[in-house]
Amino acid sequence: MNAYVAKVLEELRAKQPWEKEFLQAVEEVLSSLSVVLDSDKKYEEYRILERMVVPERTILFQVPWADDKGEIHVNQGFRVQFNSAIGPYKGGIRFHPSVNLGILKFLGFEQVFKNSLTTLPMGGGKGGSDFDPKGKSDNEVRNFCNSFMRELYRHIGPNTDVPAGDIGVGAREVGYMFGQYKRCKNSYDSVLTGKGLEWGGSLIRPEATGYGNVYFAQEMLATKGEGLEGKRVLVSGSGNVAQYTVEKLIQLGAKPLSMSDSNGTIIDPDGIDAEKLAFIFDLKNKKRGRIAEYINKFPTAQYHEGKRPWGLVKADIAMPSATQNELNGDNAKALLENGCMCVSEGANMPSTPEAIEAYKSAKILYAPGKASNAGGVATSGLEMSQNAIRLSWSREEVDEKLHSIMRSIHKNALEAAEEFGTPGDYVNGANIAGFKKVANAMIAQGF
Ligand code: NDP
Ligand code: 2IT
């Protein structure tokens, strides 16, 4: 390992040893960069790594809100504005009880490289709260979103920081937060993406992360002369990303076999088809129910309480689309024993370092989330462009742009991997390609 990388990592580990997910994300990226830093000393001279591993600004605030009984609760609110070298901070907002500063720093850090890969001018950031939207009424969620945005509005703006959705934040939450921003600022700004279609949203944004991941998997398979037709696919999660991953897989002739939530996994040996997926859309997005209910409607499927999909059944491809570290070394081994030849990540950092090691030694196709799930934020970038020119593109136009961005990310990652001596390694390729653009912009802009 390059001595500069080793030194920065050591200092970071000593400073915030408890921020485990953040350290994991930084270690993954920095281990790819040794060869770049060996070949060009300017990055060390300008202390680029030290500046990249510390957010430019972090905002922490209280979020008091009242439930339907009038009882008052207080949650923590965060926005991590990580890096603005190539554009305004951009990245989602997560509402989940597990949210803390370390998690948001890992997500914000990843976002910097991901956004750089999209080819669009977006910096990286992430925000959220330890608020749990599960089981809350619409009124409670609105109260919470209003309070969250009553503080956040003063720190964001269309040229400063543009949040969007992530776990626990979808169209409903984006709507409430946008409304509150507008009331506070008295300005109709393009300040959040994932908006409703009638009020500034982009066609295909809800679909984009899932569709983009499937397009990326297609590109990887093509390098081996393979396609998606007939491939058996394990998908985890049953939220936004998982739903549209399954939709695109069905359209392209693959056979999605599983979906999951934090309670368990359903395996459908006949494959999830369009009719079954329509049931899931209704169950998850309207009724806000649990995935276990699938087997009441489709009894030939099985429900595995407390289990994740990995290794439950033979599959060619895995597309983890729920959360970080949801696929560990043992799960990876089980996937490989069951014939898996491709892992394409919909979630952010779903594979543990041990799982990644297992994919690498088995030499299967493996795409890290920052490359394969970048279609969501890329389409957010397209939403910002449409807002700026006050026009909206058709579904076909946005889908074509998304598809072409995913092809570019794939090509750029492959080329960077090849140039720096690790052909076919999408982890190194994505990290190096993402890094160089941001680092060069930082140097050009001084300090
Ligand atoms: P949603 O909230 O729509 O869905 C999340 C899904 O993951 C749910 O099925 C949820 O189950 C499950 N899940 C969440 N946390 C856990 C956990 N700790 N253990 C097990 N299951 C869990 O979120 P998204 O679909 O938007 O996000 C999924 C992943 O994709 C995240 O990693 C996110 O960062 C990433 N991502 C999202 C993008 C987007 O545009 N939305 C873009 C790029 C990446 P349950 O309902 O039981 O909690
Ligand atoms: O992780 C991600 O890329 C997202 N949650 C989407 C961010 C965005 O700004 O659309």
Side-chain angles (χ1 to χ4, degrees):
M1 185 185 282
N2 169 282
Y4 175 43
V5 169
K7 177 175 150 280
V8 172
L9 277 178
E10 198 184 308
E11 285 171 3
L12 200 66
R13 284 192 201 108
K15 265 191 199 143
Q16 284 115 1
W18 57 90
E19 290 183 343
K20 293 202 166 39
E21 292 84 0
F22 176 54
L23 290 172
Q24 182 184 336
V26 172
E27 277 166 16
E28 192 243 72
V29 171
L30 265 53
S31 352
S32 294
L33 299 179
S34 284
V35 53
V36 182
L37 299 164
D38 281 342
S39 68
D40 194 335
K41 293 290 172 200
K42 72 171 179 280
Y43 300 116
E44 181 170 0
E45 193 188 320
Y46 282 89
R47 299 278 160 232
I48 289 300
L49 293 187
E50 287 90 331
R51 294 176 57 202
M52 272 193 176
V53 299
V54 178
E56 290 175 2
R57 188 178 301 107
T58 303
I59 301 142
L60 303 172
F61 51 101
Q62 59 163 267
V63 192
W65 59 280
D67 67 20
D68 289 343
K69 291 186 237 122
E71 220 171 280
I72 298 167
H73 304 264
V74 185
N75 285 94
Q76 288 184 293
F78 306 85
R79 186 73 185 165
V80 180
Q81 299 182 329
F82 225 108
N83 189 298
S84 61
I86 61 168
Y89 308 109
K90 179 86 195 89
I93 290 187
R94 176 177 291 192
F95 292 164
H96 193 271
S98 63
V99 163
N100 58 40
L101 189 56
I103 299 255
L104 294 178
K105 279 174 70 179
F106 121 62
L107 289 162
F109 182 77
E110 287 281 290
Q111 199 82 45
V112 173
F113 300 89
K114 183 197 302 193
N115 293 2
S116 165
L117 285 169
T118 64
T119 70
L120 302 175
M122 299 181 288
K126 202 87 186 188
S129 173
D130 57 356
F131 173 72
D132 186 359
K134 247 186 241 141
K136 306 286 191 301
S137 69
D138 283 352
N139 184 51
E140 290 170 332
V141 170
R142 188 173 50 233
N143 285 348
F144 177 82
C145 290
N146 281 349
S147 181
F148 184 85
M149 191 50 81
R150 195 170 57 226
E151 174 57 35
L152 189 64
Y153 85 92
R154 67 189 86 243
H155 307 290
I156 61 177
N159 297 310
T160 308
D161 185 355
V162 183
D166 193 77
I167 292 178
V169 177
R172 175 181 62 170
E173 292 74 17
V174 167
Y176 294 151
M177 287 192 275
F178 180 80
Q180 181 71 336
Y181 172 92
K182 192 185 56 164
R183 289 186 286 274
C184 292
K185 266 283 195 14
N186 190 29
S187 185
Y188 205 106
D189 297 337
S190 177
V191 75
L192 280 148
T193 56
K195 299 185 289 296
L197 286 180
E198 298 84 358
W199 43 279
S202 173
L203 284 157
I204 301 283
R205 176 62 189 91
E207 294 88 338
T209 311
Y211 279 19
N213 189 18
V214 178
Y215 294 149
F216 198 95
Q218 245 184 336
E219 293 299 308
M220 287 199 289
L221 290 168
T223 65
K224 305 278 179 210
E226 294 266 6
L228 277 168
E229 187 72 38
K231 290 281 186 309
R232 294 163 60 85
V233 188
L234 290 175
V235 176
S236 63
S238 48
N240 170 270
V241 178
Q243 291 169 13
Y244 288 104
T245 300
V246 168
E247 181 168 277
K248 187 50 80 179
L249 286 170
I250 297 168
Q251 287 170 10
L252 296 178
K255 192 172 182 182
L257 296 167
S258 69
M259 292 184 90
S260 67
D261 59 26
S262 52
N263 294 103
T265 294
I266 58 106
I267 297 281
D268 190 331
D270 305 323
I272 301 169
D273 60 17
E275 184 206 333
K276 294 168 177 174
L277 182 62
F279 170 82
I280 288 174
F281 273 112
D282 184 63
L283 173 73
K284 283 288 168 181
N285 306 345
K286 294 216 176 94
K287 304 200 174 88
R288 297 187 187 269
R290 309 308 297 159
I291 200 70
E293 292 167 49
Y294 184 91
I295 56 163
N296 302 334
K297 175 83 176 163
F298 306 108
T300 54
Q302 308 119 30
Y303 177 61
H304 300 262
E305 176 77 25
K307 291 260 166 62
R308 292 170 173 163
W310 327 123
L312 288 180
V313 66
K314 272 195 172 311
D316 308 296
I317 300 174
M319 303 182 87
S321 307
T323 193
Q324 64 274 359
N325 292 329
E326 56 165 312
L327 205 169
N328 64 24
D330 290 340
N331 301 145
K333 246 185 257 155
L335 279 176
L336 294 166
E337 277 160 16
N338 276 305
C340 179
M341 43 92 75
C342 173
V343 177
S344 200
E345 296 182 341
N348 286 306
M349 205 169 76
S351 304
T352 64
E354 295 73 30
I356 297 174
E357 225 16 79
Y359 311 147
K360 283 193 175 173
S361 19
K363 296 195 165 48
I364 63 164
L365 296 167
Y366 165 57
K370 67 169 75 68
S372 47
N373 76 31
V377 73
T379 308
S380 281
L382 300 176
E383 182 172 328
M384 289 163 73
S385 303
Q386 293 174 79
N387 293 161
I389 57 174
R390 296 186 189 280
L391 286 175
S392 41
W393 297 320
S394 69
R395 198 179 161 82
E396 291 70 28
E397 280 172 302
V398 181
D399 196 26
E400 183 39 49
K401 287 184 206 300
L402 166 66
H403 205 147
S404 117
I405 289 171
M406 297 315 295
R407 281 196 208 99
S408 303
I409 297 174
H410 178 268
K411 180 167 170 282
N412 294 342
L414 259 195
E415 283 176 1
E418 177 91 34
E419 183 187 344
F420 288 92
T422 50
D425 186 331
Y426 291 96
V427 175
N428 282 346
N431 288 337
I432 293 169
F435 168 81
K436 283 181 83 174
K437 193 164 139 191
V438 175
N440 293 338
M442 287 169 74
I443 292 173
Q445 291 169 22
F447 54 91

